[in-house]
Amino acid sequence: MQRQTPQRKAIEAAFHSAARPLSPQEILDAARKDVPALNLATVYRTLKRMVDDREIHPVELPGEAARYELQSAAEYHHHHFRCGKCRAVFDLKGCVNGLKKLLPSGFRMTGHDIILYGLCKTCRT
Amino acid sequence: MQRQTPQRKAIEAAFHSAARPLSPQEILDAARKDVPALNLATVYRTLKRMVDDREIHPVELPGEAARYELQSAAEYHHHHFRCGKCRAVFDLKGCVNGLKKLLPSGFRMTGHDIILYGLCKTCRT
DNA sequence: ATTCGTGCAAAGACTTTGCATAAAT
DNA sequence: ATTTATGCAAAGTCTTTGCACGAAT
């Protein structure tokens, strides 16, 4: 049975207000507004529990540390956009056709990732 | 000007015989057959120089350490397949259409990654 | 009262860097 | 002779873990 601690509440609050994938450090920074003494180790441990509880979902991008997002965002199939300037990651809607045609013969595909890179609306100006 | 050391030769040889993206540790293991005293730090430094020289190219997959492949493989636009059993990474040919339609309005796209997951021909049996 | 979570510090994995030595030009 | 690369060890980053304390049930 898991407990209802101020730390976990603060971390959950960070996810709900961000609405985009967050790194452990971003979560720490945000959650410290509620619980200033919060420790990074606690963030890592809490993230692990939340993943086990299927409350959040890891988002892994090439060459970067894992981020996490609410399971509600992961419920539908989606991909990610990474801004080259502010470095933030955004959820994208939809998918594409024709991935199977990339497969060499004899290979079986069970999943895929698509990551788009560029500039977000804010950084584009 | 760069020098022609046995270490660098051994590392280059490892790339040529593998013909797939390799991690620094895989490179160390392979190149030690030629230069047993080879050090991991030397591998990292040599990889950096080879990237600067455009002789190799980094291949970054979600949630994994960087691998590298010969620039000749990177000359054409391509993506990667990752086998969930043997964990090897393979090059794929071709690409897909319709990625731009995933972009939120106001965002600009400058590049993309596609990674397919599944079982390779060998592991599928 | 018991159990589980937290903070802190230490330990790990991976990568980078300083420095004296050795090798290449 | 000069310049650059190497090996080793130390230092960095990010993440995990041990332990005693404190909080939740």
Side-chain angles (χ1 to χ4, degrees), chain A residues 61 64 67 80-90 115-124, chain B residues 107-108 110:
Chain A
L61 300 196
E64 301 193 39
R67 293 158 194 254
H80 295 96
F81 178 94
R82 164 64 190 287
C83 178
K85 189 169 176 217
C86 70
R87 318 243 101 195
V89 172
F90 300 84
I115 305 102
L116 304 188
Y117 299 92
L119 294 175
C120 71
K121 193 168 186 172
T122 306
C123 293
R124 188 183 182 179
Chain B
F107 282 50
R108 188 191 337 184
T110 58

Side-chain angles (χ1 to χ4, degrees), chain A residues 17-93:
Chain A
S17 48
R20 61 180 187 83
L22 297 174
S23 69
Q25 185 63 51
E26 287 175 322
I27 293 161
L28 179 68
D29 296 341
R32 274 191 168 160
K33 285 162 193 156
D34 294 331
V35 180
L38 182 61
N39 192 280
L40 230 203
T42 299
V43 173
Y44 278 104
R45 280 183 289 222
T46 304
L47 290 174
K48 195 159 288 176
R49 285 179 208 124
M50 290 173 79
V51 169
D52 290 344
D53 297 348
R54 312 227 163 216
E55 191 177 335
I56 58 174
H57 189 266
V59 174
E60 298 184 323
L61 300 196
E64 301 193 39
R67 293 158 194 254
Y68 297 84
E69 68 184 354
L70 290 174
Q71 185 63 27
S72 55
E75 222 84 83
Y76 61 95
H77 178 74
H78 71 287
H79 296 295
H80 295 96
F81 178 94
R82 164 64 190 287
C83 178
K85 189 169 176 217
C86 70
R87 318 243 101 195
V89 172
F90 300 84
D91 285 349
L92 299 175
K93 290 181 182 174

Side-chain angles (χ1 to χ4, degrees), chain B:
Chain B
M1 204 58 239
Q2 59 185 332
R3 286 179 177 172
Q4 197 76 345
T5 65
Q7 289 83 353
R8 179 152 179 165
K9 278 185 187 172
I11 291 169
E12 288 169 349
F15 276 114
H16 285 281
S17 48
R20 62 179 185 83
L22 297 175
S23 68
Q25 185 63 52
E26 287 174 323
I27 294 161
L28 179 68
D29 295 342
R32 273 190 168 160
K33 285 162 194 159
D34 296 330
V35 181
L38 183 61
N39 192 281
L40 231 203
T42 299
V43 173
Y44 279 105
R45 279 184 290 224
T46 304
L47 290 175
K48 194 159 287 177
R49 287 179 206 125
M50 291 172 77
V51 169
D52 290 345
D53 298 346
R54 312 224 161 218
E55 193 177 335
I56 59 173
H57 188 266
V59 174
E60 297 183 324
L61 299 196
E64 301 193 39
R67 294 159 195 253
Y68 297 85
E69 68 184 353
L70 289 174
Q71 185 63 27
S72 56
E75 223 83 83
Y76 61 94
H77 179 74
H78 71 287
H79 295 294
H80 295 95
F81 178 94
R82 164 64 188 289
C83 179
K85 188 168 176 221
C86 69
R87 317 245 101 194
V89 173
F90 301 86
D91 286 349
L92 300 175
K93 290 180 180 174
C95 196
V96 297
N97 294 314
L99 289 173
K100 282 220 164 120
K101 76 166 195 248
L102 303 180
L103 271 189
S105 76
F107 282 50
R108 188 191 337 184
M109 180 171 84
T110 58
H112 67 272
D113 274 345
I114 296 176
I115 305 103
L116 303 188
Y117 299 92
L119 294 175
C120 72
K121 192 168 188 171
T122 306
C123 294
R124 188 186 183 174
T125 56

